[in-house]
Amino acid sequence: MSQFETQRSVKLADGTIIPAIGQGTWFMGENPSKEMDEISALQLGVELGMTLIDTAEMYANGGAELIVGKAIKHIRNKVFLVSKVYPHNAGKNSAIKACENSLKRLQTDYLDLYLLHWRGSIPLAETVEVMENLKASGKIKRWGVSNFDTDDMKQLWQITNGKNCAVNQVLYHLGSRGIEYDLIPWCKDHQMPIMAYCPIAQGGTLRKDLMNNKIVQDIAKAKQCTTAQLLLAWCIRNGNVIAIPKASNKTHVHENAQASTISFNQDELDLLDSIFTPPKHKIHLDIV
Ligand code: NDP
């Protein structure tokens, strides 16, 4: 059996199955000359099984949502659509308007998942209440958070309906493993998947030593995959993490879709641990 034969997925607490590798959109919609490439990259990704698309009102000031809207116009029912609200828009009235604006740009009448982009000054209880109202009105199917550390999650759990949070989206890649110490175990204990952003460290730019590391390259070569594929497969290796790489290049899209099927043996994991060591104490959440 080839290493590319099994597609992997992750289950949400409500039983919904989503692909373990989806597609990010940060920096899409910034440059009109790239629009067609970005649209067709996203459509190709969906065709290849990366049916989860992550965007945000923040990206290109709504421009990324416009791109996604054009890409999914005729395939909306195949897509698990995620967008995010700015913290300053996450209040009881502003969130409804912000969500409606996102829906307009996305040319749809519902989001599968709506995330609080990061924690701001609006009380969490108010945001949870408006998220629940958006859910009741059918504008969103479920809601979640982003850039929440373990203490934030514990506070969320104390709030009425806080336990309805479906996902926490945070930075995670082989070169930034702090969340393995407490956040991943906490989320696992509470049946909540982590959505990993920057899973390939922004093509290596966040950690120059990742893509260029000789051992990482050698392991990838032995597995007949690229270093980016290795990084993605590593991110999703334990079944509770969804990776959302952004790719506007079609070769990258093909590679990323195939990465879902690569698995590791213990020796390979031990070797990677020896270079990029797992955390032995609490490390504050990494962000970009
Ligand atoms: P990624 O780690 O996904 O890296 C994206 C970069 O990697 C792009 O330059 C892309 O190039 C390149 N790339 C993609 N696939 C490959 C490949 N197979 N081989 C080599 N290079 C590749 O970084 P992002 O910051 O984009 O993170 C992913 C997504 O997470 C975002 O797009 C966004 O949706 C979300 N995000 C959420 C945040 C939050 O606060 N909640 C913060 C940051 C990101 P190219 O485009 O040319 O294909």
Side-chain angles (χ1 to χ4, degrees), residues 170-180 184 194-201 231 234-238 241 286:
V170 290
L171 186 151
Y172 184 49
H173 58 72
L174 179 63
S176 180
R177 304 182 59 171
I179 63 170
E180 288 175 28
I184 288 187
I194 290 274
M195 204 176 274
Y197 72 70
C198 302
I200 43 179
L231 293 178
W234 180 88
C235 251
I236 62 165
R237 69 199 180 286
N238 286 336
V241 174
D286 200 359

Side-chain angles (χ1 to χ4, degrees), residues 26 54 146-147 169 198 200 202 244 246 248 252 255-256:
W26 196 16
D54 175 80
S146 177
N147 297 301
Q169 184 181 112
C198 302
I200 43 179
Q202 296 194 330
I244 46 166
K246 174 261 178 186
S248 7
H252 290 164
E255 282 183 18
N256 297 350

Side-chain angles (χ1 to χ4, degrees), residues 150-163:
T150 313
D151 280 347
D152 300 308
M153 292 310 301
K154 287 179 181 165
Q155 284 176 39
L156 181 60
W157 240 239
Q158 299 308 311
I159 290 169
T160 308
N161 291 325
K163 294 187 179 69

